[in-house]
Amino acid sequence: LFVHSAVPREHPSSRPRFPSHPTPSMSNPSGSVDISVSRRVADFIAESLVSQGVTAVYGGHGGSVIPLVNAISSHPRLRWVYMRNEQAASLAASAEAKLTGRLAVCVATSGPGASHLTTGLIDALQDRVPVLAITGMKATRAVDLSEFQAIHQEELFRAAGLPFSKVVMSQDAVPAMLRNAIAVAIREKTAVHLAVPVDLQAKQVTLPPLHRQLGHMAHLEYQSSDTRIHKAARALADPALRVVIAIGNQAPLELAASTPTHALQQSPQSAYVRLAETLNAPIVTQLDSKGIVDERHPLCYGVLGIFGSPGLDAARALVQSADMVVLFGVDHQAVDLISDSDFNQVRKVVEFEPDAGSAAYHRWYDCEEVVLGDLASNARRLEAAVANLRDTPQARESYKTSVEDCRPLLAVARQWNWLLRGGWRESPAVAAAVEKETGDDAPPSRFQVDHPERPGFCHPVRVLAPLGRKMRAGDVACVDVGDITLWSSLCMCMSGGQRVLSSQGMGVMGYALPAAIAASLQRPDQHVVAIAGDGGVQMTIGELATAMQMRCRLILVVFVNTILGRVHFGFEGVSGDDIISPDFVALARAYGGDGVRVTSADEADAAVDAAWAYKGGDDGRGVFVVEVHTDPELKAEYAKMKDASPFVAQVREALADVLPTDLRPSDIRKLIAFDVHGDGMLSSEELNAARAALSRLRRDQGDPSELLRVLRTGQLFKSPMLSSIKTLLEPLEPSPFVLRDGPGGGAGTELHVVGTTSNVLRGHVPDHLRSQVFDATPYRAGFEMAALEDMDGLGEMCLCDGVVYVRETNSARPDFFTTRHASSFLTPAALLVPKAALVDHTVVMDRVLAPDGVPFVRVINDLYNSVKAPFVFTGEVEWYTCDVTCMSKAPNKGESLSACLPSYYTQPGTVLHDTRTFVCGAVTRTATSSSALDQELFNRVFFHDLTKADSSAAAISASIGTDCQVQCHVHVITYSASGAELADVWHVNPDSLVKYLKLDLFRVASIRVLDE
């Protein structure tokens, strides 16, 4: 079988201390002959590994693997890489498999050596790459008799999830067992384990022609038919479809396994980018697939799914509002891409996978189509098919009505319209991203991180950004786990062809340095960068010795902040997370390397230049450490991205003097509420209105940090002071609302009211209302505040068909903040619609005329324009997004809401997605010419005490400069998961998007006060 014995071998003593780098090979040795020969088991194992393209074996040494390690280290086509800890050996093997797509191997002795492998093997298991672990054992006669370092390894690894973990107890079984182990690893892209007792390693075995079987298994190929490609294309044929392309870690693995290093450069016109351009679809990537496309391209929206956190607000918003996601080899974070917060699928999926095993990984999701085969090739086939389908009269008409003639009002809808219209093609970044080749003077990413800095510290972006600019095709970045994972995903802009290696599923701290050793051995002529925090790097810092001994060429960047940042900032009430660190530069020099320390932004560029130019010893190799001291108060989850959108840029520039300096783009985009004309930008009048409002609030708050909190939490637009102030606009034309007369014929209804909202919010509830019980059964709908008879305090209320639903506000109760229901209630303020009331109008929304939905403020605006009188509405609404809040504490007697607003809303609001609700609300107007009914309804149901002349709300109203303002106060009740029962009461905020509605409208003819 393996006739390598004729190849001259160096005696181990004659080999250089730092061995040369063998060229990786995927094929068997030329001239091998399929004959049965007798060989030592250890030699057979070494030859079998070579037949699978293995070039390096990572491991720890010990008595139970001496014959095996001797065979590996003496083989002319294998490199023995002695790691200082076996965990680092398994991490290095996993990293090599991620980089090359081929089988990687690690070795350990019995007992603790074997158990140390567990972490890296689980990393390979979860990130789905082929790794074989071979461990030694006591001699067969001592199995289960010797106690020293004796554990049941196969049970340990099976418990960790490995699908194959076996012990060989006969030398004759080794060939078949090894064949099975390698087959499972390659076929299932997973980690496997084989234990071989030490005495068997030295015994002779008669060898069958194993390499034929293994070679066949290593090169299985799939290719889907044209029929499947065209089915996928038909699912994407509508040019108005909101599509997100997600590229996972299988895409660069496929590229690495099929493309030489020198050809790894991926131009912006790669298969994935061309598909995105045809679909006008944004691209998001996993961290390990960062570099598969040029991140400067305007359709690239960065990394999604680091610890469940997106890199960009824009990326998360686009994904959450997409109709369909096209997955290319995505193994992790699928929940972020296609599911809601309850892990239910809410978006359609077209899945592309390299093989059937990968497709089965997502078997719990419903896919429109699953396409197997070469990912990049299938992307090209899909692009051609979609382009043909979209070049038809029907597609062009759909584009005209749904995109070209559409004028969406909601911010995310405007972003989609901009994308689908091809507005990205007009971006100044296109020329730089598409035409300019990468260089040191290459333009930066379209997104840059804001970096406020304190003296003595350097922001991570100062080092990571220039590193990203220097990296060329084939270079590798190995990213550790911690805050640095977030910083690396945000700050390093890859121009295409680079590779990023990380521990995506397992999240192993200490991963970066072992991974960089493996990458350097596999790509000796490329730059390899390990990026770690001071906490993570110290878990494997001993591998600096390995890196130097193996003459690796790598840069180690260590960010020092003296805390475990992800623990410290990611959780509440943390202690015991402070750490000390050695002098990493001195440590590098002690091992024979070099380094530089960075303590300010001014030193960053020179440090990166020095690291990149470092040549080390006479062979031009060695380790260079960049020790970067960062602010321990800097939180990675607060990475603030400057979005190059015109709206954010306009507001930053025009309102810089009144906005908090560290405001995020996501906060700035909330100021779109001042865009009363709905054109996506602020006119000079609208900017003046925003300036007046912010200036007044800034003066009223006094503390700038409090203003920042109000803006950041959304309370600026969720509070009663501002939520209902809107200018009356002209109705949409053609209108998506079909208004029909009901049996009431417009005569109007007598509404029943109790108390006033203003009295409640000022803490002045009349004593007689504290004990008066009202029956809910005579009423079809109602809302405001109430308590059930066994409640200690008031809560937000909504009434539906004779049943009243109320939020519990007593924080001492186990059912705090849950919704309870009953047939009777106490209330200091309520608006009620009797069951005997006749419907004056019905309203139904035409989905065809508003496929992207209608902003809720637009719904109220157009309905008031049609009714032109105060009215109450009830019915059902389906929402794309419904922004809601709910009071979580009942006002105390004499306590004013305007003075204590934050204490009433201790529980966070939320945004409900794709939700159906029952709704009840009242609409009126305030104007100099408004009717007496308008005024009475406003005084009873709205926040009259907060709109007095000297209030902030009045100042904003005056600055907008409108005489007529529509006021809407509305509550909803969500449905349970089954859809059969009503569940939770919420107060609706303006920034909500309606998908469909069917409402009954009741004109207000008179008001009957029940408590007088």
Side-chain angles (χ1 to χ4, degrees):
L1 170 58
F2 300 112
V3 191
H4 283 299
S5 57
V7 178
R9 297 186 180 180
E10 292 179 300
H11 190 276
S13 62
S14 66
R15 302 177 76 187
R17 180 185 174 195
F18 301 122
S20 60
H21 295 255
T23 302
S25 171
M26 287 292 290
S27 61
N28 285 329
S30 176
S32 60
V33 181
D34 296 333
I35 59 175
S36 295
V37 295
S38 180
R39 299 288 302 278
R40 283 196 323 153
V41 166
D43 293 326
F44 167 75
I45 292 174
E47 286 290 356
S48 298
L49 300 182
V50 170
S51 75
Q52 287 304 300
V54 176
T55 60
V57 177
Y58 309 89
H61 220 318
S64 66
V65 289
I66 289 175
L68 178 60
V69 173
N70 286 349
I72 292 169
S73 60
S74 62
H75 196 288
R77 301 185 64 189
L78 285 177
R79 167 170 293 185
W80 168 246
V81 184
Y82 171 64
M83 308 292 287
R84 272 49 180 178
N85 185 284
E86 290 86 352
Q87 174 179 310
S90 59
L91 290 174
S94 178
E96 181 189 306
K98 295 174 190 179
L99 181 65
T100 65
R102 302 193 306 265
L103 179 73
V105 181
C106 55
V107 167
T109 190
S110 59
S115 65
H116 282 166
L117 293 178
T118 307
T119 299
L121 294 181
I122 298 176
D123 179 75
L125 175 76
Q126 294 199 355
D127 287 353
R128 301 192 62 247
V129 290
V131 172
L132 168 64
I134 304 175
T135 58
M137 291 181 60
K138 297 288 185 180
T140 51
R141 63 179 178 79
V143 172
D144 286 336
L145 294 175
S146 175
E147 297 180 353
F148 180 69
Q149 293 188 341
I151 62 174
H152 284 278
Q153 302 172 18
E154 74 284 6
E155 294 181 9
L156 172 68
F157 292 123
R158 278 201 295 266
L162 270 62
F164 185 102
S165 180
K166 306 286 185 181
V167 177
V168 183
M169 294 302 289
S170 165
Q171 69 268 29
D172 294 328
V174 170
M177 293 284 274
L178 183 61
R179 174 202 64 205
N180 292 351
I182 294 176
V184 171
I186 293 173
R187 184 181 67 244
E188 299 184 18
K189 296 181 181 177
T190 189
V192 297
H193 164 247
L194 191 65
V196 183
V198 64
D199 58 326
L200 297 188
Q201 298 171 27
K203 288 187 177 181
Q204 298 289 312
V205 62
T206 300
L207 309 176
L210 178 63
H211 70 292
R212 281 187 175 179
Q213 302 169 52
L214 294 179
H216 177 69
M217 289 183 291
H219 296 92
L220 288 175
E221 294 184 356
Y222 298 78
Q223 193 62 38
S224 286
S225 65
D226 289 339
T227 301
R228 282 195 175 274
I229 292 289
H230 285 290
K231 284 183 178 179
R234 282 196 293 273
L236 299 164
D238 186 354
L241 196 68
R242 297 175 173 183
V243 181
V244 170
I245 296 174
I247 305 176
N249 64 323
Q250 293 298 315
L253 271 175
E254 172 188 90
L255 187 68
S258 60
T259 308
T261 299
H262 68 268
L264 284 174
Q265 177 70 50
Q266 292 296 293
S267 75
Q269 301 303 319
S270 69
Y272 303 111
V273 173
R274 285 198 298 272
L275 176 62
E277 291 174 344
T278 298
L279 294 172
N280 289 313
I283 298 173
V284 295
T285 67
Q286 292 181 282
L287 180 58
D288 273 25
S289 55
K290 189 180 175 73
I292 195 73
V293 296
D294 190 332
E295 293 186 295
R296 299 165 302 173
H297 194 283
L299 287 176
C300 187
Y301 277 75
V303 173
L304 188 79
I306 300 297
F307 309 134
S309 302
L312 297 171
D313 293 325
R316 176 56 59 92
L318 288 172
V319 168
Q320 289 181 339
S321 56
D323 300 315
M324 184 174 292
V325 179
V326 181
L327 303 175
F328 283 97
V330 177
D331 282 347
H332 294 286
Q333 286 85 43
V335 66
D336 292 322
L337 294 165
I338 67 178
S339 301
D340 61 15
S341 58
D342 294 322
F343 309 103
N344 298 310
Q345 182 173 348
V346 294
R347 280 172 282 282
K348 295 180 179 180
V349 177
V350 173
E351 183 179 1
F352 287 78
E353 294 293 349
D355 51 58
S358 298
Y361 193 76
H362 291 147
R363 61 188 179 273
W364 49 82
Y365 295 119
D366 180 33
C367 297
E368 301 296 300
E369 193 59 54
V370 178
V371 181
L372 302 182
D374 182 90
L375 297 177
S377 174
N378 282 335
R380 284 188 287 271
R381 296 168 69 196
L382 179 66
E383 187 273 332
V386 171
N388 289 333
L389 289 175
R390 290 192 171 188
D391 189 23
T392 63
Q394 298 91 334
R396 288 192 289 271
E397 179 60 26
S398 174
Y399 175 81
K400 186 176 188 303
T401 57
S402 301
V403 179
E404 202 170 66
D405 296 340
C406 182
R407 191 187 180 194
L409 298 182
L410 204 66
V412 69
R414 284 197 293 271
Q415 177 74 0
W416 272 113
N417 190 261
W418 177 80
L419 285 167
L420 296 175
R421 283 190 295 102
W424 58 268
R425 299 179 190 273
E426 304 162 9
S427 169
V430 173
V434 177
E435 298 174 5
K436 184 177 179 63
E437 292 188 359
T438 303
D440 284 348
D441 58 345
S445 167
R446 295 175 302 113
F447 304 96
Q448 297 97 42
V449 178
D450 290 337
H451 39 75
E453 290 161 321
R454 292 197 299 163
F457 300 111
C458 177
H459 195 288
V461 70
R462 301 288 195 178
V463 173
L464 293 173
L467 276 174
R469 289 195 293 270
K470 283 186 175 293
M471 294 187 73
R472 300 292 184 269
D475 291 345
V476 183
C478 302
V479 181
D480 217 286
V481 172
D483 272 3
I484 194 56
T485 320
L486 295 172
W487 288 125
S488 298
S489 71
L490 293 168
C491 304
M492 295 183 71
C493 179
M494 301 294 191
S495 59
Q498 302 87 355
R499 284 298 311 275
V500 174
L501 302 180
S502 71
S503 178
Q504 287 197 128
M506 187 62 170
V508 181
M509 291 180 69
Y511 172 87
L513 185 52
I517 291 171
S520 179
L521 294 177
Q522 290 299 312
R523 296 189 178 178
D525 298 325
Q526 302 294 139
H527 278 96
V528 175
V529 183
I531 304 169
D534 51 347
V537 76
Q538 290 188 77
M539 294 186 174
T540 51
I541 194 64
E543 303 308 326
L544 277 177
T546 306
M548 290 301 301
Q549 182 172 343
M550 301 308 299
R551 301 308 296 159
C552 294
R553 178 190 181 193
L554 65 87
I555 299 168
L556 173 61
V557 183
V558 182
F559 291 90
V560 178
N561 65 353
T562 68
I563 57 170
L564 299 176
R566 193 91 300 266
V567 177
H568 184 82
F569 296 126
F571 303 91
E572 297 291 335
V574 176
S575 61
D577 57 344
D578 53 313
I579 58 176
I580 64 170
S581 298
D583 183 330
F584 291 104
V585 174
L587 190 60
R589 290 169 180 163
Y591 279 114
D594 203 354
V596 65
R597 184 172 295 101
V598 179
T599 59
S600 71
D602 296 338
E603 301 168 344
D605 286 340
V608 172
D609 290 342
W612 216 254
Y614 181 66
K615 298 299 182 182
D618 295 338
D619 56 358
R621 317 188 64 79
V623 176
F624 191 92
V625 170
V626 181
E627 180 182 313
V628 186
H629 288 255
T630 63
D631 190 342
E633 297 181 4
L634 182 64
K635 304 176 184 180
E637 60 263 43
Y638 289 159
K640 296 170 281 296
M641 306 304 296
K642 290 194 291 191
D643 194 330
S645 67
F647 178 81
V648 172
Q650 178 201 32
V651 173
R652 275 190 185 277
E653 181 177 355
L655 302 178
D657 57 322
V658 293
L659 290 173
T661 55
D662 52 349
L663 204 63
R664 304 176 197 167
S666 58
D667 303 321
I668 292 176
R669 283 192 289 272
K670 292 174 183 175
L671 299 178
I672 197 71
F674 287 99
D675 175 25
V676 294
H677 298 301
D679 59 1
M681 298 293 285
L682 298 186
S683 65
S684 57
E685 293 80 11
E686 291 163 345
L687 280 170
N688 288 336
R691 176 180 295 280
L694 293 168
S695 298
R696 180 62 181 266
L697 284 173
R698 192 161 187 163
R699 288 195 301 271
D700 290 349
Q701 297 293 346
D703 181 4
S705 63
E706 183 62 17
L707 172 60
L708 179 63
R709 186 197 65 79
V710 171
L711 288 169
R712 181 157 291 166
T713 60
Q715 290 297 331
L716 174 65
F717 298 106
K718 291 182 178 179
S719 74
M721 290 187 289
L722 296 176
S723 63
S724 57
I725 295 178
K726 296 288 175 185
T727 299
L728 192 62
L729 306 174
E730 289 299 317
L732 293 173
E733 185 61 40
S735 175
F737 308 112
V738 180
L739 186 72
R740 297 187 176 93
D741 290 338
T749 295
E750 181 183 69
L751 294 180
H752 293 182
V753 299
V754 178
T756 70
T757 300
S758 294
N759 280 342
V760 174
L761 300 180
R762 285 187 283 118
H764 295 161
V765 178
D767 290 338
H768 68 279
L769 288 180
R770 298 180 184 274
S771 57
Q772 186 173 351
V773 178
F774 295 89
D775 185 6
T777 55
Y779 298 102
R780 66 182 297 165
F783 71 93
E784 194 35 358
M785 301 191 71
L788 303 185
E789 292 188 62
D790 61 342
M791 281 186 174
D792 296 330
L794 300 168
E796 307 247 25
M797 176 271 281
C798 194
L799 189 151
C800 176
D801 196 23
V803 179
V804 63
Y805 296 79
V806 184
R807 281 274 190 181
E808 175 61 68
T809 58
N810 182 359
S811 59
R813 289 179 57 99
D815 56 357
F816 168 63
F817 209 60
T818 60
T819 298
R820 301 162 59 194
H821 62 275
S823 59
S824 60
F825 60 99
L826 297 88
T827 180
L831 181 148
L832 306 168
V833 181
K835 286 184 177 179
L838 297 178
V839 176
D840 290 299
H841 310 282
T842 60
V843 180
V844 178
M845 182 172 158
D846 189 333
R847 296 178 190 262
V848 175
L849 292 176
D852 292 326
V854 179
F856 183 55
V857 291
R858 166 59 74 174
V859 173
I860 301 305
N861 176 91
D862 287 17
L863 292 183
Y864 192 89
N865 267 315
S866 300
V867 177
K868 297 189 183 303
F871 64 90
V872 174
F873 60 92
T874 70
E876 289 200 349
V877 177
E878 294 179 29
W879 308 85
Y880 278 118
T881 58
C882 185
D883 192 335
V884 294
T885 52
C886 195
M887 187 173 288
S888 51
K889 173 191 170 186
N892 294 322
K893 187 172 183 180
E895 189 175 72
S896 169
L897 172 70
S898 58
C900 307
L901 182 67
S903 66
Y904 293 145
Y905 290 89
T906 59
Q907 297 299 306
T910 188
V911 177
L912 307 173
H913 295 274
D914 294 312
T915 301
R916 180 170 67 100
T917 67
F918 170 81
V919 62
C920 182
V923 179
T924 185
R925 68 169 183 161
T926 56
T928 55
S929 59
S930 60
S931 67
L933 272 177
D934 272 309
Q935 290 294 337
E936 184 171 5
L937 185 62
F938 178 76
N939 291 340
R940 291 281 180 179
V941 181
F942 293 87
F943 310 103
H944 184 259
D945 61 315
L946 299 177
T947 55
K948 55 185 182 291
D950 61 344
S951 71
S952 299
I956 297 168
S957 172
S959 65
I960 292 177
T962 176
D963 179 57
C964 178
Q965 292 164 9
V966 176
Q967 312 284 337
C968 176
H969 190 175
V970 58
H971 286 192
V972 298
I973 315 177
T974 59
Y975 281 88
S976 62
S978 66
E981 299 176 343
L982 293 171
D984 288 322
V985 175
W986 293 100
H987 168 86
V988 178
N989 296 311
D991 194 14
S992 300
L993 184 63
V994 175
K995 179 191 298 186
Y996 177 74
L997 59 79
K998 185 175 182 181
L999 301 176
D1000 294 332
L1001 271 59
F1002 303 85
R1003 288 174 178 258
V1004 181
S1006 61
I1007 293 176
R1008 177 184 174 189
V1009 181
L1010 300 184
D1011 57 307
E1012 291 182 350

